Amino acid sequence: MFKQFLDKVDGNQGYLLSSLGIFMLFFLLVGILLLTMKKDDIKYMSELPIKDDQDERGN
């Protein structure tokens, strides 16, 4: 199936490869960012919705 798709593209393989490269680069960078993030920052961000809701109520 993939071979038939590439045969019909006729010269536009550059677009296919560049979009795949951008997609892979984006998710690689996001994965590296998440793996190197400090645990305190993750805990702070995970509690933000709860803390904002409590602050508005005055609790």
Side-chain angles (χ1 to χ4, degrees):
M1 183 175 136
F2 192 68
K3 275 186 171 182
Q4 292 172 352
F5 178 71
L6 286 178
D7 289 339
K8 293 180 182 181
V9 173
D10 289 335
N12 291 330
Q13 285 98 0
Y15 294 118
L16 293 173
L17 293 175
S18 63
S19 63
L20 177 65
I22 291 170
F23 177 79
M24 294 296 287
L25 181 66
F26 174 75
F27 281 102
L28 183 67
L29 290 174
V30 169
I32 290 170
L33 177 72
L34 289 174
L35 290 174
T36 59
M37 191 177 286
K38 293 180 183 176
K39 299 295 181 189
D40 294 336
D41 293 340
I42 295 172
K43 184 177 179 186
Y44 170 75
M45 286 188 276
S46 69
E47 293 175 352
L48 277 177
I50 297 170
K51 287 185 178 181
D52 286 344
D53 189 34
Q54 290 176 352
D55 290 341
E56 290 176 3
R57 292 181 186 172
N59 292 335

